[in-house]
Amino acid sequence: MHCMDQKIVIRNAVPEDAPFIAGCVLAAIGMYDFKQKPDIFDSMEAVCAASDTLYSWKNTRMAVIQNPGCQDIKNTTVGCLISYPGEFYLEARDRTWQQGFAGGKKEDYSSAAKETGDGEYYLDTMAILPAFRGFGIGKLLLQDGIRKGHTKGYEKITLIVDKEHQQLHDYYGSIGFHDVGEVLFFGTLYTKMSV
């Protein structure tokens, strides 16, 4: 980071955060590098601006740098984490994917594996701006997501990680997550982890 003694504040997202959240969702699945917006960006922004989708601003917590002494990055949003109760997943999945990935076309996602389910609080998507990675912001967001799940009464907080990303798996492990199974999701094998 550019200035010393940064203060990172985690806050609830607001509707105006939808473009940033859309960028995070697309970055997390390898479709966006925070530079060149893909064609799907506007559709994903609409998904994030809605109140009833998986990637809604209502399900998102934002990481913001607040440091009055650092004018070049003061009040800069640097990352986000999307999370929600597992019971919400199936209800919102088709609506989310049809609007965001199918461009409104009817697709049948009923045979797709479930990432989460009843009795779980799911940490779905997290991304940090490239210039702010490596400073512990992701850990703050994950710890906040865990607290949020516990506050809502969930004992089981889950996420999935691509089996090919051992470094990310180890990172989640360092925060306290452990393997609880596998999920084959759209042809990719993921490890399900819980804390």
Side-chain angles (χ1 to χ4, degrees), residues 82-101:
I82 299 168
S83 61
Y84 46 81
E87 292 82 358
F88 177 67
Y89 181 76
L90 282 180
E91 171 191 331
R93 179 181 70 179
D94 290 347
R95 180 171 48 249
T96 300
W97 291 350
Q98 286 172 5
Q99 188 175 343
F101 296 104

Side-chain angles (χ1 to χ4, degrees), residues 41-58:
F41 194 93
D42 290 343
S43 295
M44 187 55 63
E45 184 177 339
V47 166
C48 298
S51 62
D52 59 353
T53 63
L54 296 177
Y55 308 133
S56 170
W57 61 272
K58 286 189 168 187

